[in-house]
Amino acid sequence: MPPPALAPHAFTAAPVAAPPPPSAAKAAFWDRIAPKYATDPIADMAGYRHTLQRVQAMLRPEHHVLELGCGTGITALRLAPLTRRYVATDVSSQMIAIAHARHAQQPTPALSFAVADAETHGFGQGLYDAVLAFNLLHLASDLELVLRVAAQALRPGGLLISKTPCIAEMNPLIGHVAVPLMRLVGQAPALKCLHEHQLQAAMAKQGLTVVISERHGTQRKDIRAFLVARKAD
């Protein structure tokens, strides 16, 4: 007797779920850690205050400012009162929810928060006097795209003000061993191991001229490059 015929679908492979797009995976990571992130103390408060002072000196009451990767809004709440309009954005809806709660306790008319990612959103052409990117650029999966979006958003003569951990300036084991292991167990996001000169070159490619290069750390070797780049007039 011949064997029974197999159903046509007997060897059909189960569908494989597509991986989430990079922006969704990035948002999921920051959504998950948002409550802890909101309560973690700033590691180098003196260095942070120095950065704030430098940025405050560059802002004017008539300025329109865009912040990319604002997190839970701590910096935005400090800087927005110095501006006419301050739009603070982050890929994480949970970060922005915490920022909204803080804003409700500390109302600032010039300030607004929005969920947005510079790798998937545009912010218009020439609308802002300054674009801020603190602890963000090393997290971009497409650094060139983020810098292009930032440059497009700036008015002629506008400033990109950034502070970026340059992981490549650390012990190579950090970037090539420790960080991948932390990513494997969900304790670190995807990030780029950059030198400051790579950041400067990437900015120059978008027509941004670095006019300030500083380090503000006060406790140990500071790998966080504070760069201010100007868009051509």
Side-chain angles (χ1 to χ4, degrees):
M1 178 181 296
L6 294 173
H9 61 276
F11 292 101
T12 301
V16 177
S23 60
K26 182 165 51 176
F29 174 85
W30 293 108
D31 282 347
R32 177 170 58 82
I33 72 164
K36 181 179 183 300
Y37 182 93
T39 58
D40 281 346
I42 295 173
D44 182 359
M45 181 57 75
Y48 174 70
R49 287 174 178 155
H50 187 181
T51 299
L52 281 181
Q53 290 169 357
R54 295 292 284 128
V55 178
Q56 288 165 347
M58 300 176 204
L59 301 181
R60 300 288 181 267
E62 68 274 16
H63 278 177
H64 290 234
V65 176
L66 170 67
E67 184 179 353
L68 306 176
C70 70
T72 58
I74 291 178
T75 298
L77 286 165
R78 287 166 167 77
L79 297 177
L82 304 173
T83 70
R84 181 175 182 182
R85 178 171 178 250
Y86 192 113
V87 180
T89 68
D90 198 276
V91 68
S92 167
S93 61
Q94 294 303 309
M95 293 281 192
I96 292 296
I98 295 170
H100 277 305
R102 287 177 166 164
H103 192 204
Q105 296 176 353
Q106 187 181 331
T108 303
L111 177 59
S112 61
F113 289 100
V115 177
D117 180 6
E119 295 188 65
T120 57
H121 292 76
F123 298 98
Q125 300 279 336
L127 298 179
Y128 297 95
D129 300 284
V131 174
L132 313 183
F134 301 131
N135 300 308
L136 172 77
L137 297 179
H138 66 305
L139 300 174
S141 55
D142 189 335
L143 177 61
E144 180 176 339
L145 173 60
V146 172
L147 291 175
R148 182 166 65 249
V149 168
Q152 289 172 347
L154 284 170
R155 292 173 177 162
L159 299 177
L160 171 63
I161 305 174
S162 66
K163 190 172 183 178
T164 309
C166 295
I167 308 299
E169 298 178 9
M170 303 176 71
N171 185 314
L173 292 176
I174 301 294
H176 298 292
V177 178
V179 170
L181 287 175
M182 291 176 68
R183 286 193 61 200
L184 190 64
V185 297
Q187 296 301 310
L191 53 81
K192 294 184 181 301
C193 294
L194 298 168
H195 283 278
E196 180 182 334
H197 67 81
Q198 293 174 300
L199 276 175
Q200 293 207 26
M203 291 176 184
K205 189 174 180 180
Q206 303 306 322
L208 300 166
T209 302
V210 174
V211 294
I212 295 174
S213 170
E214 298 175 349
R215 305 289 172 113
H216 297 163
T218 64
Q219 298 179 348
R220 60 184 71 88
K221 177 185 176 182
D222 189 2
I223 64 163
R224 297 164 298 174
F226 179 79
L227 298 178
V228 179
R230 185 183 302 278
K231 183 175 179 177
D233 291 327

